[in-house]
Amino acid sequence: MAAPFIWQGRTDGDTEEHLRIHQVMNKNTPAQFALIGFASDEGVKRNKGRLGAKAGPDAIRQQLAGLPLHQPLAIRDAGTIYCDDGQLESAQRRLSDELITILSSKQTPIVLGGGHEVAFASFQGLFDFVKQTQPTKTIGIINFDAHFDLRSAPIATSGTPFLQAAQLCEQHNRPFHYLCLGIADHGNTKVLFDTADKLGCQYIRDKALTASQLPKAIEQVQQFINHVDYLYVTVDLDVFSAAIAPGVSAPAARGINTETFEQLFSVIKTSKKIAVFDIAECNPEFDIDNHTSKLAAYLIYQFLF
């Protein structure tokens, strides 16, 4: 287990107009947002991907620290859940329990991955919280991802989280609402498309997220949002082109660009239904000049402000 992250960075002054995120982290109470890391690439290892995402949380924190504030921010760092022993399921449960605690404190969790195995832990935490507090409310998953992550496997991996989420919903007789944005035909086998269709999942391919087709995609996203009470939004950084996000476990040959993401995410954020937000697959081992960790920090910045 690594030492706690030290929030530090450039300081231009201590008055309001000079502040950066590292200067207010853990300072303003009550916090509105809580960062929590999930340092794991056990799921990626099991899924035969490129290892290194375990170092993602602190790489993202490092890039987030120096970003400037243009309005007040109450945010705290809730630490990091580590998967050091190969016991992924146990680590996922620990993260879920921490998320329940954060949500119970009326704070919005921002989870820093880590492999996309973080997704089942994030969903499970929100699912259990809603079941305990508002059992009639519904949850929708919006996943920015080149891959469905609906694999069937004997153990949990970074490729199984949304099938696990579907199974959790089925066990408790709850509807499964899943929308995946950025799906790549060349990144998913036919059985994954068949599984998505069988489960009633919605998806929009990467090639359908061009500027001319974006209004139609936005309409579909809005309709999805209208039919649920809460949203769990997860961003697998491999949804972006490898030119933008080289430091991921499975780089995208095509992917989407940041402008497309911003327009879609603006609609989602405006709904005020996001209960849990996470970033997955930031892999510093393969990053170039911190491009991917900078992108991850930028996405969180879009959510905060």
Side-chain angles (χ1 to χ4, degrees):
M1 186 176 295
F5 183 81
I6 298 174
W7 287 90
Q8 59 188 4
R10 175 170 175 153
T11 301
D12 298 319
D14 296 319
T15 52
E16 186 175 322
E17 67 270 22
H18 291 114
L19 295 178
R20 299 174 186 269
I21 288 178
H22 72 87
Q23 292 172 274
V24 301
M25 184 63 64
N26 301 318
K27 299 286 177 61
N28 298 328
T29 56
Q32 181 183 356
F33 300 97
L35 292 177
I36 184 165
F38 188 67
S40 168
D41 50 20
E42 176 63 26
V44 176
K45 179 181 179 182
R46 296 178 183 184
N47 203 34
K48 301 178 174 59
R50 305 196 300 179
L51 301 188
K54 186 174 182 177
D58 280 357
I60 299 171
R61 285 182 173 105
Q62 191 69 52
Q63 299 305 322
L64 196 60
L67 297 184
L69 302 184
H70 298 279
Q71 62 192 61
L73 176 66
I75 187 169
R76 71 182 181 94
D77 189 342
T80 298
I81 303 295
Y82 292 88
C83 182
D84 292 321
D85 53 7
Q87 301 299 310
L88 174 58
E89 293 79 2
S90 172
Q92 288 173 317
R93 184 67 259 178
R94 293 200 306 276
L95 176 58
S96 296
D97 290 343
E98 287 294 329
L99 292 179
I100 293 170
T101 300
I102 291 168
L103 290 163
S104 298
S105 301
K106 300 190 182 335
Q107 297 166 4
T108 301
I110 300 173
V111 189
L112 314 176
H116 214 181
E117 61 265 29
V118 68
F120 179 63
S122 292
F123 177 77
Q124 181 177 236
L126 178 58
F127 183 90
D128 289 350
F129 174 76
V130 171
K131 183 162 64 76
Q132 293 167 16
T133 57
Q134 296 176 294
T136 62
K137 299 293 186 181
T138 56
I139 301 170
I141 301 169
I142 298 181
N143 177 28
F144 287 87
D145 202 333
H147 310 98
F148 282 115
D149 289 346
L150 288 167
R151 289 180 184 274
S152 177
I155 55 174
T157 76
S158 61
T160 64
F162 302 108
L163 183 61
Q164 291 176 268
Q167 293 167 342
L168 182 63
C169 290
E170 183 180 17
Q171 289 165 14
H172 294 272
N173 196 30
R174 300 299 296 154
F176 177 58
H177 300 290
Y178 178 45
L179 170 62
C180 193
L181 303 174
I183 283 293
D185 283 344
H186 60 279
N188 298 272
T189 58
K190 185 176 183 300
V191 71
L192 291 171
F193 279 97
D194 291 344
T195 300
D197 293 338
K198 180 181 178 183
L199 291 171
C201 305
Q202 297 183 43
Y203 51 92
I204 303 177
R205 289 173 168 85
D206 55 1
K207 61 189 178 185
L209 291 175
T210 60
S212 63
Q213 299 179 85
L214 209 50
K216 182 180 177 182
I218 287 172
E219 182 180 349
Q220 183 174 343
V221 170
Q222 187 63 66
Q223 289 177 355
F224 178 86
I225 293 170
N226 291 343
H227 285 89
V228 298
D229 297 302
Y230 295 108
L231 292 171
Y232 159 47
V233 179
T234 177
V235 181
D236 186 325
L237 293 164
D238 72 22
V239 75
F240 295 97
S241 162
I244 303 170
V248 295
S249 298
R254 188 185 194 283
I256 67 171
N257 59 38
T258 51
E259 183 179 356
T260 296
F261 174 86
E262 287 165 352
Q263 293 189 59
L264 292 167
F265 190 66
S266 176
V267 174
I268 299 166
K269 182 183 171 185
T270 299
S271 73
K272 300 189 184 303
K273 292 184 178 182
I274 302 177
V276 176
F277 179 60
D278 71 28
I279 303 281
E281 303 283 359
C282 180
N283 188 330
E285 183 75 20
F286 295 95
D287 209 357
I288 300 171
D289 197 25
N290 299 315
H291 286 183
T292 313
S293 54
K294 285 179 185 292
L295 174 61
Y298 174 75
L299 301 183
I300 293 168
Y301 196 73
Q302 300 306 300
F303 181 50
L304 292 174
F305 303 108

